[in-house]
Amino acid sequence: MKHLVLGSLCLFLTACGSDNDSSSTEPPAPTTALVSFSISDAPVDFAESVNVTYSSITLKSDGDNEDDDSGLTIPILDENGNPTTITINLLDYQNGDEKLIISDTEIAIGEYSNLILNTSGCPQNQNGSTDSCWVEDDEGIKPLKTPSNKLKLGAFSVSSEAVQAYTIEFNLRSSLVETAGGASYNLKPHGVRVVDSESVGSIAGMVDVNLLNVGENCATVYEDNTDHGKVVYLYAGTIAEGDIMGDEFDPDTAQEPIADNVVMPFASDTLVYNDELELAMYTYHFAHLPPNTYTVAFSCSAVGDDSVEYNEITIADPAEQVHQVVVAEAQDVIQNFTETF
């Protein structure tokens, strides 16, 4: 009888031990995530359309050659799941609108040294074809070049979250450049950002019509009368004492040296006259902004601000038209510019 009791007790303890072992077993950590990519744009004031054909996205890891076909290439797929290309007019996707190009693709979690947006058929010189990539301005249709049909956008990471969505945001006032005396355009990676679609916010507002002509140089008229110089500039963080809010420039290609205290804009936006509102007004809009403190400043005299050289434009103009704005995750902030007395 004692043997029977002891045997039963051993069975009971063994069963308990098995339960403890199974309860302490944790599921393996995920090694991949589902990732989507969309295209969006911040407006540009000198083009009627900016059309680009895309084929895929390549993620480079450390050790991959930046100039060959190594790395993970994710093709754009048609409705049947076959690799294809897609042509997008960037001006169709502004003020927070975006175009999904790659949906729920399984990607290994980790750090990538470069994200490359691959274009297709973009001309490589001013006389190239306008079949796949082109800009339409007030003079007609012109070739649009991308460097080697690759826009290299820098380091990128995929986290352990199961589903992630990213937006590739073009700031065309920074990335689109006239070339060959205005006969063609270049689309550069400068001014193109990859942001987490789920956490970004925005800053938008109106500009008092009385501010359009009260600054130091607001009466300046550009030679072709298409650049009216009414621009809101956005800077990441606060502007330190002694620093200068810079206009659009590219530090990698500017011909003139730029002082260390000139702060490069995060983005800029020309005013739009919005007559669809109850009270017609001039408005601006910055979308897809990561959570941060920002400085916004209006200039009525930003005539001739190109995306390469620092033009020493007065910002803010009028001088008091500058504000600090905090954007929290997924928050839309209103910041108006109004005349002060």
Side-chain angles (χ1 to χ4, degrees):
M1 185 69 176
K2 288 181 180 179
H3 292 293
L4 178 60
V5 172
L6 288 173
S8 300
L9 180 59
C10 289
L11 290 172
F12 173 76
L13 291 174
T14 301
C16 291
S18 298
D19 287 342
N20 287 340
D21 289 342
S22 62
S23 64
S24 63
T25 302
E26 296 182 358
T31 59
T32 62
L34 294 178
V35 180
S36 298
F37 294 95
S38 298
I39 297 285
S40 185
D41 167 48
V44 66
D45 50 341
F46 53 81
E48 297 177 18
S49 68
V50 179
N51 305 275
V52 187
T53 299
Y54 306 95
S55 62
S56 60
I57 286 175
T58 298
L59 297 178
K60 296 281 189 177
S61 299
D62 288 338
D64 288 336
N65 188 317
E66 292 294 325
D67 298 317
D68 64 16
D69 294 331
S70 62
L72 171 65
T73 295
I74 309 162
I76 295 173
L77 303 177
D78 63 18
E79 58 185 13
N80 297 316
N82 300 314
T84 188
T85 60
I86 184 172
T87 302
I88 298 174
N89 175 13
L90 291 172
L91 301 191
D92 286 341
Y93 300 96
Q94 302 178 5
N95 298 327
D97 292 340
E98 55 188 44
K99 173 67 174 179
L100 182 67
I101 60 170
I102 293 175
S103 177
D104 291 340
T105 297
E106 191 170 14
I107 298 176
I109 294 168
E111 302 293 325
Y112 295 90
S113 59
N114 210 343
L115 184 154
I116 302 173
L117 180 59
N118 298 306
T119 59
S120 177
C122 293
Q124 296 304 296
N125 59 66
Q126 68 189 67
N127 299 314
S129 169
T130 57
D131 291 343
S132 298
C133 303
W134 71 96
V135 172
E136 183 177 3
D137 61 17
D138 59 351
E139 296 178 349
I141 294 176
K142 300 177 180 179
L144 174 60
K145 173 186 174 181
T146 59
S148 302
N149 275 298
K150 298 178 184 295
L151 294 172
K152 298 179 179 181
L153 305 183
F156 177 75
S157 63
V158 176
S159 72
S160 59
E161 294 183 19
V163 180
Q164 298 162 56
Y166 296 91
T167 300
I168 300 172
E169 169 87 352
F170 285 80
N171 176 17
L172 290 179
R173 284 181 53 81
S174 296
S175 58
L176 188 63
V177 182
E178 280 190 305
T179 58
S184 61
Y185 287 88
N186 280 358
L187 185 63
K188 306 185 302 179
H190 175 67
V192 185
R193 300 177 288 113
V194 183
V195 295
D196 181 348
S197 305
E198 300 300 319
S199 64
V200 293
S202 69
I203 303 173
M206 55 81 65
V207 177
D208 190 333
V209 65
N210 294 316
L211 296 176
L212 303 187
N213 297 296
V214 297
E216 292 182 5
N217 301 299
C218 294
T220 304
V221 177
Y222 200 45
E223 58 185 10
D224 62 5
N225 204 33
T226 60
D227 180 0
H228 301 292
K230 316 304 179 186
V231 180
V232 177
Y233 291 88
L234 176 73
Y235 305 88
T238 58
I239 304 300
E241 184 176 356
D243 283 350
I244 298 172
M245 291 181 286
D247 49 60
E248 292 286 358
F249 65 89
D250 186 344
D252 295 328
T253 57
Q255 298 298 309
E256 298 296 329
I258 300 169
D260 292 338
N261 65 335
V262 175
V263 181
M264 187 167 62
F266 188 81
S268 62
D269 189 19
T270 51
L271 298 189
V272 174
Y273 186 68
N274 193 331
D275 57 4
E276 296 180 358
L277 302 175
E278 182 177 348
L279 178 63
M281 62 185 67
Y282 289 91
T283 62
Y284 74 96
H285 192 130
F286 296 110
H288 299 111
L289 299 179
N292 199 359
T293 297
Y294 293 92
T295 300
V296 288
F298 169 68
S299 176
C300 67
S301 54
V303 173
D305 183 9
D306 67 75
S307 59
V308 177
E309 301 295 338
Y310 173 46
N311 301 110
E312 300 186 24
I313 287 168
T314 303
I315 308 170
D317 190 14
E320 70 276 5
Q321 295 302 323
V322 55
H323 304 279
Q324 286 187 11
V325 180
V326 176
V327 177
E329 182 173 317
Q331 181 185 31
D332 298 318
V333 180
I334 300 297
Q335 178 61 65
N336 296 323
F337 291 89
T338 57
E339 188 175 19
T340 57
F341 299 95

